[in-house]
Amino acid sequence: MRISKNYDVNWPTPDLENITYLCSCVVFSNILKITQIQVLADSDEQEVVHQIQEFFADFCAIDPFHFTLNIPMHHIYMLPTVVDPPSSQSFCDRAVDGIAGVFLALKRRPVIRYQRTSDIAKRIAQETAKLMYEQESGLFDFRRTEFSPLLLVIDRRDDPVTPLLNQWTYQAMVHELIGIEDNKVDLRNIGKVSKDQQEVVLSSEQDNFFKANMYENFGDLGMNIKTMVDEFQQVAKSNQNIQTIDDMAKFVDNYPEYRKMQGNVSKHVTMVTEMSRIVDERKLMTVSQTEQELACNGGQAAAFEAVTNLLNNEAISDVDRLRLVMLYALRYEKESPVQLMQLFNKLASCSAKYKPGLVQFLLKQAGVDRRTGDLYGNRDLLNIARNMARGLKGVENVYTQHQPLLFQTMESIIKGRLREVDYPFIGNHFQQGRPQDVVIFIVGGTTYEEARTVALHNASNSGTRFILGGTAVLNSRRFLRDLEEAQAISRKSNAI
């Protein structure tokens, strides 16, 4: 007889009228409000709910130091609240709930800071503080430690460059060229793929090869794939030499592991083969070299010539042309307005899918006047010196020389140099000493390049552990889609 049933729900309430069980335990994935308990009680006419639990897991943990909230209508963060107040409030509420769930899972209450130039970051930080220190203060009253953890809420638009770049390390590259959703990769549109390989899991917790290679560059990855294939061929060859009953018994015992190894080899070979095809088809090595120059090095005249040449190259795709012009515009919007207008006109004439005004909308959202951080390392004397030193030493790999702005932010936190004028505290809760645990939450989404930066830092055992979270996980397609949707709504609201 069916006696009990667990429901893992967020909200609205489960359908209690049609339950066929004698009793039920309802498990909520975040904080359950008193008003919600009342609604649940009113709905439970058959009195089948015997227990209610809160299990704080209202977020998607992608990797040990990276989580996402997968918020729908993600473009809302780019729009002023007055454009769509209900959607804006829903976006903020979901962000606050997700952040609260993370800290309840960690059993910590943080000191909170936010990016001063971002209204949405400030709003989420304030509402999070209100929840943790006022509305649910008892729930967050954990044992105090010598140093409080830090929650820093920042805006994606402070670094629009990172989500626009092509990627050349394994995990980031898969997401950029194929797509990853909650650690799953859809391979159904890639040639002839066996049925059990049409959707594969890409998780460092379950796949040792991926764990060892997720941050490796594409060149090294190719060699490591070959080594894995060679090892599998040796295992397969030994399994062919079944001579005795003992050999057969050993093979049967090892068969699940053999099948797992076979599936793993097939999965990684399929993805790397497909990515190699896309790189060749879209001439991404040529495109990426110019992207990295735009992101990391100065030289406006050379940059203009390189971008113009690629716009004239018919082998370059429309989306790659658009990204190149955007990267040029973000860097040189003040230095070369005449040349920038020439690139706008060129882009419009050679790219049929280009939506007029999208680059200008990006500059309005994330141009130099809107940004807080030293995105190109040319405002702060220390960053200028660091860039000069890197230029003199050269770089190991021209395709992976870019470092996201997050790297500078993390360094500033570690060294106690994160300026309060740019990143104020919420309320009277200030940081005493260097924090040992820091959660950086990016409104507008994280990237796998930034997740790699966090993971490599944490592996260095500096004494400060970082966790990266955001409203979504971006690749260039997702970032451009958010821009297009926000631009469309902005135009409609301006026309009214």
Side-chain angles (χ1 to χ4, degrees):
M1 179 183 290
R2 293 176 297 176
I3 295 177
S4 64
K5 177 70 176 177
N6 288 341
Y7 288 90
D8 180 9
V9 296
N10 199 324
W11 202 255
T13 56
D15 182 7
L16 298 176
E17 293 182 6
N18 299 315
I19 285 181
T20 58
Y21 303 96
L22 296 180
C23 67
S24 291
C25 171
V26 183
V27 182
F28 285 80
S29 59
N30 213 320
I31 301 170
L32 183 59
K33 299 177 177 65
I34 295 296
T35 54
Q36 293 171 328
I37 295 176
Q38 185 61 54
V39 171
L40 193 65
D42 293 342
S43 304
D44 187 22
E45 295 179 358
Q46 301 179 50
E47 297 185 350
V48 294
V49 177
H50 284 210
Q51 190 177 35
I52 296 174
Q53 293 182 1
E54 294 169 321
F55 183 81
F56 303 114
D58 197 11
F59 52 90
C60 177
I62 301 168
D63 292 314
F65 306 109
H66 186 201
F67 71 90
T68 181
L69 302 183
N70 292 329
I71 296 182
M73 292 189 68
H74 192 247
H75 58 277
I76 288 295
Y77 81 95
M78 295 185 183
L79 299 170
T81 303
V82 294
V83 172
D84 188 349
S87 295
S88 180
Q89 187 61 53
S90 177
F91 184 96
C92 288
D93 288 346
R94 178 67 192 96
V96 171
D97 286 346
I99 293 169
V102 168
F103 279 97
L104 286 168
L106 293 171
K107 293 183 167 56
R108 307 293 296 277
R109 177 161 58 184
V111 168
I112 302 173
R113 302 177 72 172
Y114 66 93
Q115 181 184 317
R116 179 184 55 80
T117 55
S118 170
D119 291 338
I120 189 81
K122 180 180 180 180
R123 183 176 174 187
I124 289 171
Q126 288 177 331
E127 292 185 16
T128 301
K130 186 176 181 180
L131 177 71
M132 292 181 175
Y133 287 93
E134 296 176 27
Q135 296 168 341
E136 298 288 350
S137 60
L139 195 57
F140 285 89
D141 190 18
F142 299 111
R143 181 176 61 85
R144 299 228 164 79
T145 55
E146 184 180 357
F147 301 111
S148 296
L150 170 65
L151 166 64
L152 176 64
V153 184
I154 59 178
D155 195 311
R156 173 76 273 163
R157 291 169 291 183
D158 211 37
D159 177 8
V161 169
T162 298
L164 286 172
L165 293 173
N166 269 299
Q167 299 298 319
W168 296 96
T169 56
Y170 193 20
Q171 184 185 42
M173 199 172 178
V174 172
H175 190 44
E176 177 62 27
L177 300 183
I178 302 174
I180 304 174
E181 186 171 347
D182 296 338
N183 286 347
K184 298 189 295 290
V185 182
D186 187 345
L187 300 176
R188 283 174 294 185
N189 297 322
I190 299 175
K192 295 179 180 178
V193 179
S194 62
K195 195 169 183 179
D196 63 336
Q197 292 282 309
Q198 289 185 352
E199 184 178 74
V200 297
V201 175
L202 207 56
S203 168
S204 60
E205 298 295 306
Q206 302 174 13
D207 183 337
N208 289 333
F209 179 83
F210 181 65
K211 183 177 182 179
N213 290 276
M214 59 195 291
Y215 303 131
E216 293 294 324
N217 68 62
F218 197 50
D220 293 338
L221 176 65
M223 297 301 296
N224 295 342
I225 286 272
K226 184 181 184 304
T227 301
M228 179 176 65
V229 171
D230 290 344
E231 289 173 354
F232 174 72
Q233 287 176 338
Q234 289 297 318
V235 172
K237 191 175 181 180
S238 67
N239 285 335
Q240 291 173 1
N241 297 324
I242 297 175
Q243 303 291 337
T244 67
I245 291 176
D246 285 342
D247 291 340
M248 192 178 298
K250 287 178 183 177
F251 175 73
V252 170
D253 288 341
N254 295 328
Y255 187 71
E257 193 63 32
Y258 174 76
R259 288 285 295 165
K260 181 181 177 183
M261 187 178 184
Q262 183 183 38
N264 225 29
V265 170
S266 174
K267 171 177 73 177
H268 291 293
V269 169
T270 298
M271 287 191 294
V272 170
T273 301
E274 175 64 9
M275 290 192 298
S276 296
R277 183 192 68 78
I278 295 171
V279 167
D280 290 341
E281 182 181 88
R282 288 172 51 186
K283 305 292 184 286
L284 290 184
M285 297 192 81
T286 302
V287 171
S288 186
Q289 192 164 349
T290 299
E291 288 177 1
Q292 291 287 323
E293 287 296 315
L294 286 167
C296 304
N297 303 312
Q300 180 270 324
F304 176 75
E305 182 180 357
V307 173
T308 301
N309 289 339
L310 288 171
L311 290 179
N312 288 327
N313 186 339
E314 294 183 358
I316 306 303
S317 70
D318 284 350
V319 70
D320 292 324
R321 287 169 171 161
L322 173 60
R323 289 189 302 102
L324 285 164
V325 174
M326 284 182 165
L327 290 167
Y328 180 93
L330 286 166
R331 177 135 205 172
Y332 298 113
E333 60 175 304
K334 299 291 187 183
E335 291 182 39
S336 60
V338 174
Q339 289 92 333
L340 189 54
M341 188 55 65
Q342 291 174 5
L343 292 179
F344 289 162
N345 294 335
K346 187 71 178 174
L347 180 64
S349 67
C350 65
S351 295
K353 295 180 181 178
Y354 171 62
K355 292 178 173 57
L358 191 60
V359 183
Q360 292 91 325
F361 184 74
L362 171 64
L363 294 179
K364 185 178 178 181
Q365 289 286 322
V368 65
D369 294 334
R370 295 291 302 271
R371 299 195 297 264
T372 298
D374 191 5
L375 184 59
Y376 295 106
N378 54 10
R379 293 184 188 175
D380 180 85
L381 190 59
L382 184 63
N383 287 331
I384 292 171
R386 185 187 292 120
N387 286 340
M388 287 176 65
R390 187 172 66 175
L392 291 171
K393 290 178 184 176
V395 291
E396 185 179 340
N397 186 334
V398 69
Y399 298 104
T400 56
Q401 60 183 303
H402 173 258
Q403 285 182 331
L405 182 63
L406 183 72
F407 179 82
Q408 288 181 34
T409 305
M410 290 165 61
E411 276 198 333
S412 297
I413 291 170
I414 293 167
K415 296 174 181 176
R417 293 177 179 165
L418 193 68
R419 300 194 333 156
E420 190 175 340
V421 66
D422 293 327
Y423 301 94
F425 289 89
I426 293 286
N428 298 317
H429 310 286
F430 298 100
Q431 198 78 46
Q432 300 294 328
R434 187 177 75 171
Q436 295 178 335
D437 292 289
V438 179
V439 175
I440 299 179
F441 187 83
I442 305 181
V443 183
T446 61
T447 67
Y448 282 116
E449 183 184 353
E450 289 161 331
R452 176 179 183 266
T453 298
V454 167
L456 293 180
H457 165 82
N458 288 341
S460 70
N461 296 316
S462 73
T464 300
R465 180 184 71 159
F466 287 88
I467 295 174
L468 177 66
T471 47
V473 183
L474 302 175
N475 53 20
S476 63
R477 288 191 306 278
R478 177 67 185 271
F479 184 62
L480 290 173
R481 190 177 78 205
D482 286 344
L483 272 174
E484 289 174 0
E485 290 175 351
Q487 181 196 27
I489 293 172
S490 182
R491 282 180 167 172
K492 284 182 183 176
S493 65
N494 291 336
I496 295 173

